[in-house]
Amino acid sequence: MKTILFPMLGAVFAAGVTPSTAGDRYADRPPVMVSPDLSAPWVLQLGRAPGIVRRQAVQQQPRLRTAQQPDGVRTAAVQLPAKRVAMRPQINPIYLPQEVDYDGPQKPGTIVIDTTQNFLFLIEKNGKARRYGVGTGKPGFEWSGTHKITNKREWPDWRPPAQMIKREAAKGRYLPTYLAGGMENPLGARALYLGTTEYRIHGTNQPWTIGGAVSSGCIRMRNEDVVDLYERVNVGTTVEVI
């Protein structure tokens, strides 16, 4: 039996919500587990990520031993320093791309975003869908609605809305008015623009936030996942946020 169902949320489209393009970059969230074999080379981004907790395995120090010298004097051998080995961060496999069953009404080629379970579905033929893990709007920034993809950009620039700049400044966090595309840009590797709104589906330089309600309304994906989606959809694709 096909089991994928999308719970419908009440229409809370952003009439009273301050939109933004990149989400709150400062929320303290526990690290999500990222599969090292599937995340390379994007996992290199985590080396500069603030707030990442990495468990470290410490090599056991050898016991202090003595050595018998020719003159009969017993001297202590040099004690080797402990060597720390950092483990790679990992992500819950549920948020990795996978094929799932689908029995909803949407036509193949439609994108459906479930903001309660933090999944994005690209509907395919024969009762299937390609599912990705996403980060969605945090409390107070949730929204729902249907739009078309109106633009696609690789390594997009970021121009934070004036409302976001003002909101963050009130917290003592000062955002740039412009940031060129690249690895340090919060929009990540690709961006899909939704209608005439300031919302978009985009990559992120904070992949550990995937699977949480963390943004100011935009839909975040791992960089490798948004690149994959970018190649599969065209301008004009319907996007339903529920």
Side-chain angles (χ1 to χ4, degrees), residues 170-240:
K171 303 175 184 177
R173 302 162 181 166
Y174 299 97
L175 302 181
T177 57
Y178 169 82
L179 185 62
M183 294 296 288
E184 300 300 326
N185 191 303
L187 296 186
R190 302 289 187 273
L192 306 172
Y193 295 73
L194 303 181
T196 59
T197 73
E198 293 180 326
Y199 298 126
R200 60 203 70 183
I201 301 168
H202 63 78
T204 181
N205 56 15
Q206 296 180 328
W208 60 91
T209 63
I210 299 304
V214 292
S215 78
S216 294
C218 285
I219 307 301
R220 297 183 185 180
M221 303 180 72
R222 297 189 311 155
N223 274 330
E224 57 269 53
D225 293 347
V226 77
V227 169
D228 181 70
L229 180 66
Y230 185 97
E231 299 298 328
R232 293 173 183 269
V233 300
N234 300 313
V235 170
T237 296
T238 298
V239 178
E240 295 187 18

Side-chain angles (χ1 to χ4, degrees), residues 25-71:
R25 304 179 61 200
Y26 307 97
D28 292 330
R29 299 191 60 81
V32 185
M33 306 299 298
V34 177
S35 172
D37 56 335
L38 293 178
S39 62
W42 310 105
V43 74
L44 297 178
Q45 300 174 33
L46 299 178
R48 299 186 299 274
I52 294 300
V53 177
R54 292 185 175 87
R55 297 182 59 186
Q56 295 182 333
V58 179
Q59 185 178 12
Q60 185 177 5
Q61 296 183 2
R63 295 181 179 178
L64 190 65
R65 63 186 188 278
T66 61
Q68 184 71 36
Q69 301 298 321
D71 59 1

Side-chain angles (χ1 to χ4, degrees), residues 106-111 122-125 232-233 237-239:
Q106 290 84 1
K107 297 179 180 179
T110 303
I111 292 175
L122 175 59
I123 309 307
E124 301 175 333
K125 297 179 180 179
R232 293 173 183 269
V233 300
T237 296
T238 298
V239 178

Side-chain angles (χ1 to χ4, degrees), residues 119-156:
F119 289 128
L120 181 151
F121 298 85
L122 175 59
I123 309 307
E124 301 175 333
K125 297 179 180 179
N126 302 319
K128 295 290 184 179
R130 185 167 179 80
R131 189 183 76 186
Y132 305 85
V134 296
T136 55
K138 60 188 175 182
F141 292 86
E142 309 97 331
W143 64 278
S144 63
T146 301
H147 293 284
K148 299 284 187 180
I149 293 177
T150 51
N151 196 4
K152 297 170 59 179
R153 291 185 183 176
E154 299 183 7
W155 296 106

